[in-house]
């Protein structure tokens, strides 16, 4: 792996346009041939409060955020100076500069807005001394004045981008193109002037001693920059989903709004409803009537869905639900990622309840597994859930456009046509046996209301083949066994007909293994590459099938190593617990590396976790990462 | 070819078609008011020309929720309080279906109260029948949101301290566009009201008084009742919100004190939610569910949305 990478952090106040500026800059980097990966840090506040977006760009594949970063563009928090009394947020103008210095790498660049940050502030930070120690290159530039000269103060973001491009000796072409696409004429002109002014000013007035330059790279095919939420929404659309119902809750809201913006134009329906119980119940109602339907939420909202989830299972109504995790319990940390809802998602709803749960690890997997979730739900008449988190929701990376060039799949799965219904069993009153006892793979074809000959009762109570409520013992066993048999059939289909959903990487012959799930996969992948580069032998697997669990695959992986470390973002080692429960052993072979401070893993923390594990644990991992030893240790 | 040939079928329909031929025998208690709703529905449905297969009845949980076990249409017996969100989505997904939701007063005004308010507000094109017996029947007689003040039960041994909910007024303020009350003891009126409700384009709410002889022996079981449309003592305009509101207020006071007033209270022509959504381009003209069976349907794909990401 080449070391030559740019990790650009733009920091400022929430609501100051950091998001759109960074989105455009990331796209410009992608268009110049680089692979990019974005990471967003933001507070739970609508306006104001320190926020940053980090863009990692390199000529090689990037899977996660890096360790630290090497270019800071610090804009200042314009909402920190709220003129209303009692709305004072403390001295936050300085935060975008002050709060980010610890992670800046040696030799890094700092650009800050000297139009906002005073000299005393800078002195207080000891900036000069620290810069010398770390070989930082500091550029105090009055971005505000630059912006005001030709436009308005808010255009200081553009000035900042101009300065960045000049310092990196980066061509303005892609940035200009993107601005032209995004901005109306009236604001385009001043913005372009500001961009050029800033660029030229830096070139003329400053000596460059730093050696950070824009990395070189080339794409062999066209790329698209998109987030996990985009990928899930697009996967749903391509799976033929035309009905969504929901209630806003961060971070699930992203998918909900993307779908709401597209579905009506595609002949579909989106409904914002009174609560999450209703939302999931609407998905059930729509699917029952013959439409591919979805709903979703985040922890607290998903809690309310446990009722309709069970109803979908008992009535064998296909639905797809999303669970976009944030740190809990209760409302927890709304804008911070955690992988803490796994057990809740697997086991919510009463009784011997079963569903299919996929946990995509990357943006491409999110698209792929969403399609798969619809396929499985409709073919097997079972609720499927995609569990992901705030990190995957909001991070952006480039994916080849051709990846999405596939046919839509509007099939309703195991729905019988009227002709087929006519040939199938009915009782003497003419009621259709929609829930037959003995069918292959547990799936009994369903009819849709309005079809001739297909009348039946769907009920959340236990029921006979035609849908009558029944507490008959033989019937109970037959129905229960049939519903449970679906999971076995699904496991078989996932193993034989689809390529494995698990992602393997690293040195195949290694005897140290790392097991992870969901969005932690990228950082693990990065860490494993680094460890192997350093001469260690490590391999890893990112697991996506949570239920049914890929027993054979994971057994094989664990058997092939001496020791395995399970990496996940929660405090109670939920995934390790799942592995041990599903496989019934390996308590002595598995350790855990846990992080639950609200920030996702950085690759270096995983490298460190490996070292602590392998070196026998005399060095403690960094304060906010925890190692949970193997049972019996 | 349509995938839903039962929808719109035009033929002579016998009310016995709505009776399941075999099991189950109704498990309702002898004398239960729920039989009255079942009977009225079986009469009303053929009279408005509906076949069993084009009707979807969606119920909640309670004695009332068993309605569609004994009524042979397409049925969905959901969970306690959730019939409305399931029902309205089914109607959105296939608006060719005739959707009728039903449940008890606990189901509809208690646990499902939030859905009631919002389904009425949105004015979904459907019929909603609440079996109002002033108690929780299935869970054995506890106090319900419509139980009178002072009502004693196992959960209110010293008498109910709460005043009952006002279902008709609640439906009106929430935005329902057809509001009526009828009673199991008045089968002819019940049938007529159900027919009107079905034919109404919008959210039609029927507060259906059903006696529960098992748990509500105190209740006067809704006799004698007065039909406000038939009686000379009451003269109000059902299309006038103000007058309807006053009449409802009186009716809801009287229920616990004297006369049982029934009849239709409010009829409004506000366009249904489905129509408004269609007008805004937020819902397809043809039933959405039909699309999945249309071989010529064009399915847009995400690939065409990628421009903004390049
Ligand atoms: C979530 C939930 N809570 C409680 C129950 C138990 N329960 C079943 S029916 C019912 C009340 C039924 O009363 P009502 O809706 O008035 O109908 P009735 O039986 O009187 O017709 C209750 C509380 C349940 N099934 N689900
Ligand atoms: S308990 Fe009451 S409501 Fe239930 S069936 Fe018996 S009489 Fe009817």
């Amino acid at each position: 792996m080449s070391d030559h990478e740019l990790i650009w952090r733009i920091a400022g106040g929430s609501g100051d346009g950091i998001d759109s500026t960074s989105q455009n800059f990331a796209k410009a980097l992608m268009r110049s041939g680089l692979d990019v990966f974005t990471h967003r840090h933001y507070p739970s506040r609508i306006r104001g409060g320190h926020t940053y977006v980090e863009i990692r760009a390199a000529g090689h594949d990037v899977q996660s955020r890096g360790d630290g970063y090497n270019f800071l563009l610090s804009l200042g928090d314009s909402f920190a100076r709220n003129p209303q009394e009692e709305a004072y947020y403390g001295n936050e103008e300085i935060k975008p500069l002050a709060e980010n210095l610890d992670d800046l790498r040696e030799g890094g660049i700092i650009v800050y807005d000297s139009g906002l940050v005073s000299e005393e502030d800078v002195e207080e930070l000891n900036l000069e001394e620290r810069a010398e120690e770390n070989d930082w290159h500091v550029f105090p530039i009055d971005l505000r004045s630059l912006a005001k000269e030709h436009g308005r103060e808010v255009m200081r973001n553009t000035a900042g981008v101009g300065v960045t491009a000049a310092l990196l000796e980066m061509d303005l072409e892609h940035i200009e193109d993107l601005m032209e696409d995004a901005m109306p004429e009236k604001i385009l002109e001043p913005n372009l002037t500001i961009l050029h002014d800033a660029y030229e000013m830096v070139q003329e007035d400053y000596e460059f001693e730093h050696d950070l330059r824009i990395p070189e790279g080339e794409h062999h095919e066209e790329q698209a920059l998109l987030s996990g939420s985009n990928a899930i929404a697009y996967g749903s659309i391509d799976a033929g989903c035309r009905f969504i119902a929901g209630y806003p809750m961060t971070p699930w809201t992203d998918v909900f709004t993307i779908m709401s913006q597209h579905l009506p134009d595609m002949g579909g329906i989106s409904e914002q409803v009174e609560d999450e119980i209703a939302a999931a119940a609407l998905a059930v109602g729509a699917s029952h009537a013959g439409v591919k339907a979805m709903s979703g939420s985040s922890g607290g909202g998903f809690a309310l869905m446990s009722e309709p989830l069970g109803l979908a299972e008992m009535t064998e109504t296909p639905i797809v639900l999303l669970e976009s995790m944030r740190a809990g319990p209760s409302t927890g940390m709304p804008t911070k990622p955690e992988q803490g809802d796994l057990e809740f998602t697997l086991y919510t709803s009463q009784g011997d309840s079963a569903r299919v749960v996929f946990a995509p690890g990357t943006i491409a997997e999110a698209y792929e597994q969403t399609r798969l979730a619809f396929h499985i739900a409709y073919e097997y008449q079972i609720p499927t859930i995609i569990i992901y988190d705030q990190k995957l929701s909001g991070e952006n990376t480039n994916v080849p456009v051709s990846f999405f060039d596939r046919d839509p799949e509007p099939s309703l799965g195991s729905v019988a046509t009227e002709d087929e219904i006519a040939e199938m069993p009915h009782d003497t009153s003419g009621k259709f046996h929609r829930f037959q006892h003995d069918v292959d793979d547990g799936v009994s074809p369903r009819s849709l209301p309005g079809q001739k000959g297909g009348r039946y009762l769907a009920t959340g109570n236990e029921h006979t083949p035609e849908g009558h409520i029944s507490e008959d013992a033989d019937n109970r066993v037959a129905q229960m066994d049939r519903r449970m048999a679906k999971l076995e059939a699904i496991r078989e289909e996932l193993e034989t007909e689809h390529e494995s959903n698990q992602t393997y990487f690293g040195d195949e012959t290694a005897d140290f293994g790392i097991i992870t799930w969901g969005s932690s996969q990228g950082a693990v992948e990065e860490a494993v590459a680094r460890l192997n580069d350093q001469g260690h032998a490590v391999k890893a697997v990112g697991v996506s099938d949570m239920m049914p669990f890929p027993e054979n695959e994971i057994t094989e992986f664990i058997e092939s190593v001496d020791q395995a470390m399970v990496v996940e973002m929660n405090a109670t080692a939920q995934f390790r617990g799942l592995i041990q429960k599903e496989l019934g052993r390996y308590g002595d072979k598995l350790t855990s590396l846990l992080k639950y401070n609200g920030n996702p893993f950085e690759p270096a923390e995983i490298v460190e976790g490996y070292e602590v594990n392998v070196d026998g644990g005399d060095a403690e991992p960094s304060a906010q990462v925890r190692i949970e030893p193997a049972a019996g240790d | 070819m349509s995938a839903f040939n039962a929808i719109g079928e035009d033929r002579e329909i016998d009310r016995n078609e709505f009776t399941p031929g075999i099991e189950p025998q109704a498990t309702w208690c002898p004398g239960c008011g729920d039989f009255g709703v079942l009977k009225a529905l079986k009469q009303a449905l053929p009279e408005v020309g509906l076949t069993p297969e084009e009707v979807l009845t969606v119920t909640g949980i309670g004695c009332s929720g068993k309605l569609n076990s004994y009524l042979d249409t397409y049925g969905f017996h959901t969970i306690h309080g959730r019939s409305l969100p399931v029902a309205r989505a089914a109607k959105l997904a296939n608006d060719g279906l005739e959707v009728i939701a039903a449940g008890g007063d606990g189901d509809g005004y208690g646990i499902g109260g939030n859905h009631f308010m919002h389904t009425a507000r949105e004015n979904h094109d459907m019929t909603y029948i609440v079996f109002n017996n002033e108690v929780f029947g299935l869970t054995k007689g506890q106090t319900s949101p419509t139980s009178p003040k002072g009502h004693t039960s196992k959960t209110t041994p010293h008498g109910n301290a709460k005043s009952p909910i006002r279902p008709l007024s609640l439906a009106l303020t929430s935005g329902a566009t057809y509001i009526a009350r009828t009673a199991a003891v008045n089968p002819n009126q019940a049938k007529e009201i159900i027919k009107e409700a079905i034919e109404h384009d919008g959210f039609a709410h029927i507060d259906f008084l059903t006696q529960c002889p098992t748990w509500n022996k105190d209740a006067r079981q809704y006799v004698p009742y007065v039909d406000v449309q038939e009686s000379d003592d009451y003269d109000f305009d059902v299309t006038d919100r103000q007058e309807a509101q006053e009449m409802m207020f009186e009716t809801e006071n009287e229920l616990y004190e004297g006369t049982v007033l029934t009849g239709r209270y409010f009829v409004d022509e506000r366009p249904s939610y489905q129509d408004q959504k269609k007008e805004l381009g937020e819902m397809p003209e043809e039933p959405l569910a039909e699309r999945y069976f249309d071989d010529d349907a064009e399915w847009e794909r995400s690939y065409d949305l990628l421009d903004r990401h390049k």
Side-chain angles (χ1 to χ4, degrees):
Chain A
M1 190 192 329
S2 130
D3 284 343
H4 191 50
E5 59 180 9
L6 167 69
I7 306 181
W8 184 75
R9 191 181 278 192
I10 178 172
S14 183
D16 264 344
I18 301 286
D19 229 28
S20 54
T21 307
S22 61
Q23 187 79 13
N24 265 344
F25 191 60
K27 225 186 249 183
L29 291 167
M30 176 184 81
R31 284 190 183 180
S32 71
L34 301 173
D35 278 7
V36 294
F37 187 95
T38 72
H39 163 70
R40 182 167 172 227
H41 168 102
Y42 64 111
S44 198
R45 227 166 81 179
I46 308 305
R47 313 206 88 185
H50 167 243
T51 174
Y52 69 75
V53 176
E54 207 173 82
I55 303 171
R56 184 170 179 216
H60 55 79
D61 195 16
V62 288
Q63 304 291 346
S64 79
R65 62 185 299 198
D67 299 317
Y69 70 106
N70 54 18
F71 192 125
L72 174 65
L73 172 62
S74 154
L75 291 172
D77 182 349
S78 64
F79 294 101
R81 296 160 301 147
N82 193 322
Q84 270 168 327
E85 244 186 300
E86 290 171 27
Y88 186 69
Y89 300 129
N91 181 17
E92 296 202 6
E93 289 104 322
I94 188 78
K95 270 193 174 175
L97 180 58
E99 300 237 326
N100 290 300
L101 292 177
D102 286 348
D103 300 336
L104 183 63
R105 293 187 194 166
E106 245 183 56
I109 297 176
I110 299 174
V111 174
Y112 71 86
D113 189 348
S114 58
L116 179 77
V117 178
S118 69
E119 269 178 47
E120 294 94 82
D121 285 337
V122 176
E123 250 163 59
E124 223 169 275
L125 282 177
N126 248 339
L127 188 61
E128 213 169 306
E129 210 174 292
R130 291 177 72 179
E132 199 147 317
E133 261 169 43
N134 291 297
D135 186 28
W136 289 338
H137 305 267
V138 185
F139 298 88
I141 295 178
D142 189 347
L143 300 170
R144 266 153 216 262
S145 303
L146 258 170
K148 265 200 263 183
E149 206 175 309
H150 299 287
R152 289 185 295 130
E153 200 178 304
V154 290
M155 297 175 185
R156 63 190 176 280
N157 290 355
T158 304
V161 170
V163 170
T164 301
L167 290 171
L168 294 173
E169 291 182 357
M170 177 180 171
D171 216 19
L172 286 181
E173 177 198 341
H174 297 301
I175 299 171
E176 287 167 352
D177 284 353
L178 285 162
M179 280 168 59
E180 274 163 26
D181 288 350
M183 293 178 178
E185 194 67 37
K186 224 173 88 198
I187 61 162
L188 176 65
E189 278 311 314
N191 268 295
L192 283 176
T193 315
I194 291 166
L195 181 75
H196 285 276
D197 265 19
Y199 193 85
E200 277 150 31
M201 194 259 305
V202 171
Q203 280 190 324
E204 279 161 28
D205 299 356
Y206 290 86
E207 297 263 317
F208 297 1
E209 285 166 14
H210 60 270
D211 39 46
L212 185 65
R213 294 290 180 276
I214 175 100
E216 275 175 29
E218 197 188 338
H219 290 133
H220 300 292
E221 52 176 323
E222 196 177 20
Q223 304 286 311
L225 181 72
L226 74 182
S227 69
S229 295
N230 285 130
I232 289 173
Y234 294 171
S236 309
I237 287 169
D238 291 352
C241 171
R242 289 295 179 273
F243 188 98
I244 189 167
Y247 189 85
M249 186 167 184
T250 305
W252 124 271
T253 314
D254 283 355
V255 171
F256 185 34
T257 47
I258 296 166
M259 291 296 279
S260 301
Q261 283 175 15
H262 295 305
L263 274 195
D265 295 333
M266 299 180 155
I269 293 175
S270 165
E271 282 286 295
Q272 182 181 325
V273 296
E274 59 269 29
D275 59 34
E276 288 86 350
I277 309 177
L282 261 94
V284 169
S287 178
H288 178 76
V291 169
K292 278 185 150 173
M294 73 191 294
S295 182
S297 192
S298 297
F302 192 80
L304 295 185
M305 296 184 165
S306 93
E307 262 192 348
L309 176 68
L311 178 68
E313 198 214 328
M314 198 61 164
T315 57
E316 303 183 53
T317 310
I319 50 167
V320 173
L321 294 180
L322 307 181
E323 219 284 28
S324 185
M325 294 176 283
R326 63 194 217 183
S330 192
T331 25
M333 295 199 284
T335 64
K336 299 292 175 210
E338 203 169 87
Q339 298 178 292
D341 298 349
L342 177 63
E343 292 186 339
F344 173 57
T345 304
L346 291 172
Y347 310 124
T348 184
S349 184
Q350 66 274 24
D352 290 316
S353 155
R355 74 289 317 257
V356 175
V357 181
F358 293 123
T362 65
I363 286 163
E365 284 181 19
Y367 172 84
E368 196 91 57
Q369 288 172 21
T370 302
R371 290 186 65 139
L372 188 58
F374 275 95
H375 165 77
I376 298 283
Y378 279 77
E379 211 50 67
Y380 292 90
Q381 307 171 6
I382 190 170
T384 64
I385 300 173
I386 296 165
I387 185 172
Y388 64 113
D389 61 16
Q390 186 268 357
K391 170 170 144 54
L392 188 60
S393 255
E395 67 195 17
N396 283 266
T397 196
N398 56 301
V399 180
V401 170
S402 61
F403 177 78
F404 299 96
D405 189 3
R406 313 181 201 199
D407 288 335
E409 220 183 86
S411 157
L412 283 178
S414 47
V415 167
T417 63
E418 291 184 346
D419 290 344
E420 286 162 351
I421 292 170
E423 301 292 311
M424 290 164 67
H426 289 71
D427 68 25
T428 48
S429 72
K431 259 207 162 98
F432 174 53
H433 282 205
R434 184 256 177 274
F435 306 101
Q436 300 171 67
H437 282 161
D438 305 308
V439 282
D440 286 347
D441 65 15
V443 181
S444 177
R446 60 184 184 126
S447 60
L448 302 175
Q451 280 184 316
K452 251 194 152 61
R455 236 162 50 251
Y456 75 99
L457 179 69
T459 167
N461 284 54
E462 189 56 274
H463 45 265
T464 61
E466 56 272 69
H468 291 310
I469 296 170
S470 163
E471 295 191 349
D472 176 82
D474 290 339
N475 177 70
R476 164 69 171 180
V477 172
Q479 295 289 14
M480 202 68 210
D481 286 351
R482 185 176 58 73
R483 287 191 298 264
M484 291 294 148
K486 291 184 194 177
L487 274 192
E488 273 313 310
I490 292 166
R491 192 201 310 261
E492 199 157 299
E493 169 167 349
L494 289 177
E495 270 180 15
T496 54
E497 280 176 44
H498 302 270
E499 272 179 45
S500 166
N501 276 329
Q502 283 51 256
T503 313
Y504 296 89
F505 38 92
D507 175 356
E508 264 178 51
T509 63
D511 49 25
F512 187 89
I514 299 182
I515 309 177
T516 191
W517 70 283
S519 76
S520 297
Q521 185 174 308
V524 168
E525 196 162 335
E526 183 93 20
V528 166
R530 213 173 292 174
L531 283 165
N532 286 324
D533 277 354
Q534 290 167 12
H536 303 286
V538 182
K539 66 177 169 186
V541 57
V543 185
S544 290
D545 297 349
M546 299 289 118
M547 189 185 275
F549 192 77
E551 249 176 59
N552 298 336
E553 281 187 67
I554 303 310
T555 303
E556 202 176 302
F557 183 86
I558 298 177
E559 288 289 334
S560 74
V561 293
D562 295 338
Q563 224 194 105
M565 177 170 81
V566 185
V567 178
E568 56 185 320
M569 278 190 281
N570 61 56
T572 53
Q574 297 185 18
F575 184 54
R576 183 171 91 172
L578 176 67
I579 299 173
Q580 288 177 211
K581 169 181 177 280
E582 289 286 336
L583 306 183
R585 55 200 159 138
Y586 300 127
D588 55 345
K589 213 169 175 178
L590 302 175
T591 55
S592 281
L593 183 69
L594 307 170
K595 186 174 182 184
Y596 45 95
N597 67 356
N599 295 311
F601 278 106
E602 289 177 28
E605 291 167 330
I606 297 161
V607 169
E608 196 183 37
Y610 166 85
E611 284 161 358
V612 173
N613 258 294
V614 172
D615 297 347
D618 43 339
E620 273 301 308
S622 57
Q624 295 193 327
V625 177
R626 213 181 80 212
I627 291 214
E628 188 72 22
D633 248 30
Chain B
M1 193 195 81
S2 164
F4 301 98
N5 284 307
I7 297 177
E9 198 187 4
D10 187 17
R11 63 179 172 84
E12 208 47 42
I13 304 134
D14 186 330
R15 54 175 283 204
N16 288 327
E17 282 187 46
F18 289 92
T19 306
I22 55 158
E23 271 265 73
Q25 298 298 309
T27 54
W28 288 326
C29 311
C32 176
D34 295 4
F35 286 107
V37 189
L38 182 63
K39 187 170 164 205
L41 262 169
K42 279 187 190 173
Q43 285 176 336
L45 288 169
E47 286 186 25
V48 290
L50 288 165
T51 66
E53 281 158 339
E54 60 189 321
V55 178
L56 175 66
T57 47
V58 185
T59 57
I61 296 291
C63 298
S64 47
K66 296 197 179 155
L67 173 80
N68 47 11
S69 297
Y70 316 134
L71 179 75
D72 202 3
T73 61
Y74 269 102
F76 201 150
H77 177 231
T78 65
I79 37 181
H80 196 37
R82 314 298 168 207
S83 64
L84 288 176
V86 172
R88 68 200 213 215
K91 181 72 183 178
L92 286 164
N94 187 346
D95 61 347
L97 292 170
E98 190 61 50
V99 176
I100 299 171
D105 41 272
D107 186 88
Y109 304 144
I111 191 166
N114 193 25
H115 308 310
F116 176 51
M117 189 166 89
H118 288 276
T119 313
R121 168 173 79 104
E122 291 168 11
N123 196 27
H124 286 267
D125 182 14
M126 54 187 276
T127 300
Y128 184 39
I129 303 173
V130 181
F131 298 41
N132 184 357
N133 57 13
E134 298 174 26
V135 283
F136 282 17
L138 193 70
T139 45
K140 305 201 167 170
Q142 299 84 356
T143 300
S144 99
T146 51
S147 300
K149 197 164 181 194
H151 176 89
T152 54
S153 75
K154 283 177 210 145
T155 52
T156 51
H158 304 289
N160 183 17
K162 300 172 191 174
S163 297
I165 215 162
R166 295 171 167 272
L168 304 171
S169 305
L170 188 62
L172 186 75
T173 40
S174 300
T177 48
Y178 180 95
I179 303 167
R181 168 175 280 172
T182 187
V185 288
N186 185 4
N188 288 333
Q189 183 203 39
K191 181 188 78 178
E192 289 308 320
I193 281 183
I194 288 176
K195 279 164 63 180
E196 282 180 12
I198 289 173
E199 283 172 340
H200 175 75
D201 291 333
F203 187 70
H205 168 236
I206 304 172
D207 186 61
F208 205 123
L209 302 172
T210 53
Q211 68 277 12
C212 171
T214 305
W215 302 113
N216 207 358
K217 296 193 170 64
D218 297 344
R220 296 176 332 98
Q221 308 300 16
Y222 315 126
V223 273
Y225 66 87
V226 172
D227 182 330
V228 292
Q229 263 84 37
E230 299 287 308
S231 162
D232 294 337
D233 298 344
Y234 305 96
D235 182 24
F236 70 103
D237 177 1
V238 291
T239 63
D240 185 304
R241 178 173 288 270
Q242 183 81 33
E243 288 185 25
Q245 189 147 25
E246 279 161 21
M247 194 60 222
M248 285 176 187
F249 195 77
E250 189 179 339
T251 300
E252 284 163 338
N253 282 348
E254 291 275 325
L255 180 63
Y256 300 103
E257 285 163 15
T259 330
V260 177
L261 303 181
T262 61
R264 87 186 65 74
Y265 289 86
F266 186 59
V267 184
D268 185 32
E269 296 303 321
R270 179 162 73 95
S272 74
Y273 184 62
Q274 279 72 11
D275 283 346
Q276 301 210 29
K277 267 189 94 94
K278 283 182 183 172
E279 190 138 313
L280 292 169
E282 293 270 303
M283 181 171 162
E285 287 295 330
E286 297 300 312
L288 181 52
E290 284 279 6
R291 243 190 112 180
Y292 291 86
F293 296 89
D294 178 359
D295 292 338
D296 299 326
E298 285 223 6
W299 290 87
E300 275 159 275
R301 28 178 226 159
S302 69
Y303 190 71
D304 305 320
L305 300 172
L306 287 180
D307 271 352
R308 74 186 70 192
H309 298 284
K310 289 176 186 165

